Amino acid sequence: MPFSCLLVVTFGFFLSKMDVKIESSWKNRLQAEFEQAYFIKLIDFVKQEYQSHTVYPPGKEIFSAFDHSPFEATRVVIIGQDPYHGPGQANGLCFSVKEGMRIPPSLVNIFKEIKNDLGKPIPTSGDLRGWAEQGVLLLNATLTVRASEAGSHQNKGWETFTDAVIKCISDEKSHVVFLLWGAYAQKKGEIIDRNKHLVLMSAHPSPFSADRGFFGNKHFSQTNAYLKSKGLKEIDW
């Protein structure tokens, strides 16, 4: 998918304007970020990567987390780190894979915790669009990655952008539940206003750490209990 499908850059007299193809409620709030020097540099890097390497997710899905969960609808935020870097896996939603793909180990453990917490059967699909469409923002800290090279697009500017997203939600909304699994997500979530939002933290669901506090965290029932207490619709996990 050509990167031009993601964005168009137009140049005027002493002016450059970044037109990012993202859901309109997010675009209205993030436009100032798109015009920052770091973001313009980031897009130049990402564009070159798509032209010279295999990069995931497909260009049209880089901002899928936002497209499926408009700002006004967002009630829960889950923070991941990198997109999956294997063929056909990444779909722009953290922890999620495309329909028909093998469910990754961390997501298997997430489904196990949901079963233990809420009694729901383990799904056969790892596609989490159903969560996103209920207002769960499945946000990776880094939105792109080179094939087979985990972390290859870290420290290029995506983290600055996703920090701005988290701060925007924290500042402009109330009663959002943030699920921070693992030290990386917890560090990234330090900017969240705990007086306005519920922040739930535990170990990461990775097989290397799930037994050290992810299993048994009951984050899914706690999330729904909090949403219900605020008069908000619960999530059908």
Side-chain angles (χ1 to χ4, degrees):
M1 178 63 63
F3 197 72
S4 58
C5 292
L6 169 66
L7 57 84
V8 177
V9 183
T10 57
F11 294 96
F13 188 67
F14 294 127
L15 176 68
S16 65
K17 183 177 180 180
M18 188 70 68
D19 184 18
V20 177
K21 302 306 181 185
I22 190 171
E23 193 275 332
S24 60
S25 65
W26 288 108
K27 186 172 185 176
N28 290 339
R29 288 168 174 83
L30 298 173
Q31 186 61 49
E33 290 299 312
F34 301 147
E35 296 171 2
Q36 296 291 321
Y38 86 85
F39 193 86
I40 295 170
K41 183 178 179 180
L42 165 66
I43 291 304
D44 184 59
F45 164 77
V46 173
K47 181 178 180 181
Q48 291 181 36
E49 286 285 290
Y50 273 88
Q51 291 173 343
S52 57
H53 301 279
T54 300
V55 176
Y56 301 122
K60 66 179 181 178
E61 296 179 349
I62 291 175
F63 294 108
S64 285
F66 304 91
D67 297 335
H68 288 292
S69 183
F71 181 84
E72 292 84 358
T74 296
R75 292 175 284 149
V76 179
V77 179
I78 301 177
I79 299 176
Q81 191 164 352
D82 258 7
Y84 295 116
H85 53 80
Q89 291 181 299
N91 64 357
L93 310 176
C94 74
F95 293 105
S96 175
V97 290
K98 292 185 177 181
E99 188 74 33
M101 296 299 297
R102 181 180 179 181
I103 302 176
S106 290
L107 184 54
V108 169
N109 287 339
I110 291 170
F111 288 157
K112 286 180 179 178
E113 176 58 23
I114 291 172
K115 180 180 180 181
N116 292 334
D117 187 11
L118 300 174
K120 298 176 70 69
I122 293 177
T124 57
S125 170
D127 188 341
L128 301 182
R129 284 179 295 178
W131 293 5
E133 289 166 1
Q134 297 177 73
V136 180
L137 182 68
L138 296 164
L139 181 67
N140 274 316
T142 303
L143 300 189
T144 56
V145 68
R146 191 184 293 183
S148 303
E149 296 186 36
S152 51
H153 287 189
Q154 291 179 5
N155 302 314
K156 302 296 184 181
W158 279 129
E159 295 92 342
T160 302
F161 172 69
T162 50
D163 280 350
V165 172
I166 294 167
K167 189 174 189 306
C168 175
I169 296 170
S170 178
D171 290 351
E172 297 189 30
K173 293 182 72 72
S174 297
H175 311 317
V176 174
V177 182
F178 291 83
L179 304 182
L180 308 181
W181 300 330
Y184 183 89
Q186 289 162 23
K187 178 70 174 176
K188 197 166 180 70
E190 288 178 354
I191 59 177
I192 300 164
D193 185 347
R194 267 69 170 173
N195 294 317
K196 296 172 59 182
H197 307 285
L198 176 64
V199 177
L200 299 175
M201 301 189 294
S202 78
H204 193 276
S206 162
F208 300 106
S209 56
D211 287 326
R212 300 199 297 269
F214 180 79
F215 289 137
N217 67 19
K218 298 189 179 298
H219 280 186
F220 303 97
S221 60
Q222 288 187 65
T223 294
N224 280 351
Y226 178 82
L227 293 174
K228 185 176 180 179
S229 75
K230 302 300 180 183
L232 300 171
K233 188 175 180 180
E234 299 171 65
I235 303 297
D236 180 7
W237 299 106

